[in-house]
Amino acid sequence: CVMQAFLEVKREIFIEPSYHELSYADHPLPIGSGQTISQPTTVMLMLQLLDVLPEQRVLEIGTGSGYNAALLAKLTRKVVTIERHVGLAEQARDNLHCAGLEEVKVIEGDGKLGYEKLAPFDRIIITAAANQVPQNLKDQLADGGLLVAPIGATLGCEMLKLEKISQKNFKTSSHGKFSFVPLI
């Protein structure tokens, strides 16, 4: 359950020490490299939309400090996360280690390419605003799988949930407007 994951993962592990007193405030916080950790209510909504089951394989695009990957690791043991900023990927590995979640696979690279080596994934989550869902990620989603992503301009992007019906068909639903750092 998503709420149980939130209770088990200490958010302060994934936040710069100077912001520890704001660890549980409901707004984004800077984590370095011009990136942010999303506010808890947004993270919770995205994870509820993703509807992860215990044996599913999950791909996260945009590791950041590793907080969302830690929450995912409480929902399933098969989590791969990709971060393009080397420093953040290293920080995420350290943070996940401190949280006792070394089984999360942190990859340094371009998340838009996905991770073909372990595809297909039952769930994919993008934690940065993209102009559109990259085709590579659609291709790496298993039939019947779900993908959750903020799509559009960084301010006022639309939270979309895509369900893969077949190789070319997706059922899409919208779940509100949000602001995210851009997917680059």
Side-chain angles (χ1 to χ4, degrees):
C1 149
V2 173
M3 182 56 77
Q4 188 61 39
F6 269 80
L7 294 173
E8 291 177 17
V9 175
K10 292 182 168 88
R11 192 168 187 247
E12 61 271 17
I13 292 173
F14 302 90
I15 294 174
E16 293 178 11
S18 60
Y19 292 100
H20 274 188
E21 74 281 357
L22 299 172
S23 293
Y24 296 94
D26 195 30
H27 55 76
L29 295 170
I31 56 170
S33 300
Q35 305 300 300
T36 60
I37 184 173
S38 295
Q39 68 189 66
T41 52
T42 300
V43 174
M44 184 173 286
L45 170 74
M46 292 180 77
L47 290 177
Q48 287 171 335
L49 291 172
L50 201 61
D51 193 24
V52 177
L53 300 174
E55 291 307 311
Q56 292 181 324
R57 188 178 311 194
V58 179
L59 175 64
E60 177 191 38
I61 308 304
T63 312
S65 65
Y67 180 62
N68 196 60
L71 293 168
L72 287 166
K74 293 293 185 177
L75 301 173
T76 183
R77 292 284 171 225
K78 301 171 185 169
V79 179
V80 177
T81 182
I82 304 175
E83 176 56 57
R84 69 180 306 275
H85 297 282
V86 175
L88 282 179
E90 291 169 356
Q91 178 186 330
R93 280 189 200 97
D94 291 344
N95 293 343
L96 289 160
H97 175 77
C98 287
L101 298 167
E102 294 90 351
E103 69 273 14
V104 174
K105 185 172 186 65
V106 179
I107 306 294
E108 296 165 16
D110 183 350
K112 293 187 296 295
L113 301 177
Y115 196 65
E116 187 68 44
K117 188 187 292 188
L118 291 179
F121 294 93
D122 302 296
R123 300 290 187 262
I124 298 177
I125 185 168
I126 303 174
T127 62
N131 292 327
Q132 61 186 23
V133 176
Q135 188 61 48
N136 286 330
L137 299 182
K138 287 181 176 180
D139 293 344
Q140 292 176 33
L141 186 63
D143 284 351
L146 298 176
L147 184 148
V148 173
I151 302 297
T154 57
L155 298 176
C157 53
E158 196 173 2
M159 188 63 66
L160 297 182
K161 175 179 172 178
L162 284 71
E163 180 181 358
K164 190 169 186 176
I165 306 301
S166 67
Q167 190 59 35
K168 300 279 186 223
N169 288 329
F170 291 83
K171 178 182 171 189
T172 303
S173 56
S174 177
H175 301 273
K177 301 276 186 185
F178 294 84
S179 294
F180 278 83
V181 295
L183 180 69
I184 48 174

